[in-house]
Amino acid sequence: MPIIETIPNVSDGRRPDVVARLVAAVGATPGVRLLDHSSDRSHNRSVLTMIGDGPALKQAILALYEAALPLIDLRSHRGEHPRLGAVDVVPFVPIEGVTMAECVTLAREVGEAVASRFGVPVFLYEEASANPARKNLEDIRRGEFEGLTAKMASPGWAPDFGPATPHPTAGASVIGARLPLIAYNINLNTDRLDVARRIATAIRHSSGGLRYVKAMGVMLEDRGIAQVSMNLTNYEKTPIHRVFDLVAREAARYGVSVLESEVIGLIPAAALVGAAEHYLQLERFGPSQILETQLRSPSS
Amino acid sequence: MPIIETIPNVSDGRRPDVVARLVAAVGATPGVRLLDHSSDRSHNRSVLTMIGDGPALKQAILALYEAALPLIDLRSHRGEHPRLGAVDVVPFVPIEGVTMAECVTLAREVGEAVASRFGVPVFLYEEASANPARKNLEDIRRGEFEGLTAKMASPGWAPDFGPATPHPTAGASVIGARLPLIAYNINLNTDRLDVARRIATAIRHSSGGLRYVKAMGVMLEDRGIAQVSMNLTNYEKTPIHRVFDLVAREAARYGVSVLESEVIGLIPAAALVGAAEHYLQLERFGPSQILETQLRSPSS
């Protein structure tokens, strides 16, 4: 069975009864497994993480809209995190036995259904967007709910699906497909925050570095060491080993070495297998050679 | 559900009808999945690969003996591969959700049942053997079927289970528990076979190298390059990255570099994840952080 992950971000993180009803709506969908949900008061935002196949996740997301729209009114929503809509962002992530192209198709189907059933305009993003200027979530969300009417009236900002103006209370949604994010930190053998910051500047995409790296330098006060804190947004195209090697090389420039690295949360096995393949110079190797893959393949 | 692998080696590789009956006996056992079977004419030996839980595999192995004993007579068996018995070797390998200790227990249970039901003496080996002199398969099998009566009469060679003398036609069996073997080759940027041989001598256990490495130097005639061909018998204690680094270091001694490495057949994901952890200097990392592990854990 194909496994897809979706992580809808909803614009309420302060009313536990509302969040509970959204969680219940999703959880009641057959074939969907809710892995996690968390709410942030200052962001006033909740994130639900679930897996299933395409049809099950489509049902779950529609059930989420059904539950959320009567309960969330963006006109009175305040929070630190930028947002466009009640159901703000819905990414679909290929996990196993499914291609990115299939997740793109799913994102489009869900976007179309959300627009037609609920009258909420939908912007496609990342892999689901065919428009290079509308792939990046930050670009689409710039101006937020408050600026949405003006933005949608400006050239190039008609939605991919649905009405040409925002939904009065639910704004708009950003729906798309992307690879899993990897939260990856490299700790340096130094207490110099400036070194971590210079390395972050050197390696991140926004300032000229690797295409799928977001990075900043931070200080781990309790340990007295500096850290390059990163998000890797496409481990297939910007693999973790290349990020590690480049950070180590940049650090050496300042006479600093890498103390250790760490993965925060989850990482796909393929990202680590890719690193092993690289350093071991493995050739002629395929996923079918991993014992666990064999165990789960259909009986021969 | 726990997954154990067993790979019984049977002393017939020349009579397809016999092999077919053995395969059928194993395949008919509920809860057992036969992954592979292959026969070698010159070795006159067949290898069956199957997975299941402990009770299912015990049933399958007993069914294998039931089928094999009337069909195989070691007194007339000839082949290049050393062997002691009709069902020669039965390793149990922990794959998932099961400990080595549980595989040791299973090996002892199966050994006891084989001895009592079929009157075949059983030697425990590798992790299942408590006797350091009787862990190594080659040591136990030395002298083969033809020397077995004399060997079993000599000090220290009473079997772990069963009669003190060989079964007249089925000899004895070696049953135990071990980690998965990894067949791992490193190809060198040279046509010098002597360099591959010297590296093999340096790194293998038998001549002073790493504890769980068997190695030899061979020539890949069609590509004109030399290869260090290895079996890694315990990737937890002698990890693949240490083998790679040591071979590269020894090669540099001769002005030779590593062209590439390759895994033949299957490798447990943990062996590759371990290599990634090493080279990326990953700390505070556990298997629960691998996305795929989460997907398969019981619903939370």
Side-chain angles (χ1 to χ4, degrees):
Chain A
M1 204 191 79
I3 301 178
I4 299 170
E5 184 185 36
T6 184
I7 312 106
N9 287 227
V10 185
S11 292
D12 197 305
R14 293 183 187 165
R15 295 176 297 171
D17 55 318
V18 168
V19 174
R21 285 164 74 176
L22 304 183
V23 166
V26 161
T29 311
V32 166
R33 185 168 149 207
L34 190 70
L35 293 180
D36 188 51
H37 65 94
S38 65
S39 299
D40 188 300
R41 280 196 63 80
S42 67
H43 288 179
N44 198 6
R45 186 177 183 87
S46 295
V47 178
L48 286 69
T49 305
M50 67 196 87
I51 56 172
D53 64 7
L57 292 183
K58 181 178 174 181
Q59 280 313 110
I61 294 297
L62 294 176
L64 179 66
Y65 275 86
E66 188 85 47
L69 263 51
L71 298 170
I72 300 176
D73 186 341
L74 265 276
R75 292 171 300 184
S76 57
H77 178 271
R78 300 290 176 270
E80 281 177 28
H81 199 286
R83 77 287 177 266
L84 276 189
V87 179
D88 193 48
V89 189
V90 182
F92 293 98
V93 178
I95 301 295
E96 196 175 89
V98 64
T99 63
M100 178 60 83
E102 290 169 305
C103 287
V104 165
T105 301
L106 177 61
R108 297 183 65 94
E109 275 178 27
V110 172
E112 205 160 6
V114 163
S116 69
R117 195 175 303 183
F118 303 104
V120 174
V122 169
F123 294 92
L124 297 171
Y125 86 118
E126 287 291 347
E127 301 289 329
S129 170
N131 182 344
R134 283 171 42 171
K135 283 185 178 288
N136 191 306
L137 183 58
E138 286 74 27
D139 294 338
I140 299 171
R141 209 157 45 190
R142 192 166 295 123
E144 299 198 39
F145 174 74
E146 288 71 14
L148 190 56
T149 302
K151 181 169 190 160
M152 289 179 70
S154 67
W157 286 102
D160 290 285
F161 301 110
T165 54
H167 184 284
T169 59
S173 287
V174 189
I175 299 179
R178 62 163 173 80
L179 282 178
L181 291 181
I182 301 172
Y184 184 56
N185 300 328
I186 295 181
N187 295 335
L188 304 175
N189 233 331
T190 185
D191 60 358
R192 291 178 56 191
L193 176 58
D194 66 308
V195 169
R197 285 184 170 155
R198 283 182 208 187
I199 294 172
T201 303
I203 64 156
R204 72 183 167 220
H205 182 241
S206 65
S207 48
L210 296 165
R211 174 69 185 87
Y212 297 102
V213 175
K214 300 178 183 192
M216 59 180 176
V218 299
M219 192 70 196
L220 304 186
E221 298 291 352
D222 53 329
R223 298 179 65 190
I225 56 175
Q227 176 183 82
V228 183
S229 178
M230 294 171 282
N231 269 315
L232 311 185
T233 59
N234 184 329
Y235 68 87
E236 291 180 348
K237 292 182 180 162
T238 302
I240 193 167
H241 58 80
R242 193 160 302 141
V243 173
F244 178 85
D245 285 347
L246 188 55
V247 168
R249 195 78 196 87
E250 290 289 323
R253 153 79 182 75
Y254 303 100
V256 167
S257 63
V258 169
L259 177 64
E260 61 192 24
S261 78
E262 59 184 0
V263 170
I264 306 299
L266 300 181
I267 183 169
L272 292 174
V273 169
E277 282 185 70
H278 174 81
Y279 291 111
L280 298 173
Q281 298 176 226
L282 270 181
E283 292 294 335
R284 295 172 292 284
F285 185 78
S288 67
Q289 287 183 261
I290 296 174
L291 189 62
E292 286 79 356
T293 311
Q294 284 290 326
L295 300 184
R296 297 191 224 294
S297 66
S299 194
S300 51
Chain B
M1 203 192 81
I3 302 178
I4 300 171
E5 182 184 37
T6 185
I7 312 106
N9 287 225
V10 185
S11 293
D12 197 306
R14 294 183 186 165
R15 294 177 296 172
D17 56 316
V18 168
V19 174
R21 285 163 75 174
L22 305 183
V23 166
V26 161
T29 312
V32 166
R33 185 168 148 208
L34 189 70
L35 294 180
D36 187 51
H37 66 93
S38 65
S39 299
D40 188 300
R41 280 196 64 79
S42 67
H43 289 179
N44 198 6
R45 186 176 183 86
S46 295
V47 177
L48 286 69
T49 304
M50 67 196 88
I51 56 172
D53 64 6
L57 292 184
K58 181 177 174 182
Q59 280 315 109
I61 295 297
L62 294 177
L64 180 64
Y65 275 87
E66 188 85 48
L69 264 50
L71 297 172
I72 300 177
D73 186 341
L74 264 276
R75 292 172 299 183
S76 56
H77 178 271
R78 300 293 175 272
E80 280 177 28
H81 198 287
R83 79 283 179 265
L84 275 188
V87 179
D88 192 49
V89 189
V90 183
F92 292 100
V93 178
I95 301 295
E96 195 174 272
V98 64
T99 63
M100 180 58 84
E102 291 169 303
C103 286
V104 166
T105 301
L106 176 62
R108 297 183 65 92
E109 276 177 28
V110 171
E112 205 160 7
V114 162
S116 70
R117 195 175 302 184
F118 302 104
V120 173
V122 169
F123 295 91
L124 296 171
Y125 86 118
E126 286 292 346
E127 302 288 329
S129 170
N131 181 343
R134 282 170 41 170
K135 284 186 174 289
N136 190 309
L137 182 58
E138 285 76 26
D139 294 339
I140 299 171
R141 208 157 46 189
R142 193 167 295 123
E144 301 198 40
F145 174 74
E146 289 70 15
L148 190 56
T149 302
K151 181 169 189 158
M152 289 179 69
S154 66
W157 285 104
D160 289 287
F161 301 110
T165 53
H167 184 286
T169 58
S173 287
V174 190
I175 299 179
R178 61 163 174 78
L179 282 176
L181 291 180
I182 301 171
Y184 183 56
N185 300 328
I186 296 181
N187 296 334
L188 304 175
N189 233 331
T190 185
D191 60 359
R192 290 178 56 192
L193 176 58
D194 67 306
V195 169
R197 285 185 170 153
R198 283 182 208 187
I199 294 172
T201 303
I203 63 154
R204 71 184 167 217
H205 182 242
S206 64
S207 48
L210 295 165
R211 175 67 184 90
Y212 297 101
V213 175
K214 301 177 182 190
M216 58 181 177
V218 298
M219 192 68 197
L220 304 186
E221 298 293 349
D222 53 330
R223 298 179 65 191
I225 56 175
Q227 176 184 81
V228 184
S229 177
M230 294 171 282
N231 269 316
L232 311 185
T233 59
N234 185 329
Y235 69 86
E236 291 180 349
K237 291 184 180 163
T238 303
I240 193 166
H241 58 79
R242 194 160 301 139
V243 174
F244 179 85
D245 285 347
L246 188 56
V247 168
R249 194 78 194 88
E250 290 289 324
R253 153 77 181 77
Y254 303 100
V256 167
S257 63
V258 168
L259 177 64
E260 61 191 24
S261 78
E262 58 184 359
V263 171
I264 306 299
L266 300 181
I267 183 170
L272 292 174
V273 168
E277 283 186 69
H278 173 80
Y279 291 112
L280 298 173
Q281 297 175 228
L282 271 180
E283 293 294 335
R284 296 172 290 285
F285 185 79
S288 68
Q289 287 182 262
I290 297 175
L291 188 63
E292 285 81 356
T293 311
Q294 285 290 327
L295 300 185
R296 296 189 223 294
S297 65
S299 196
S300 53

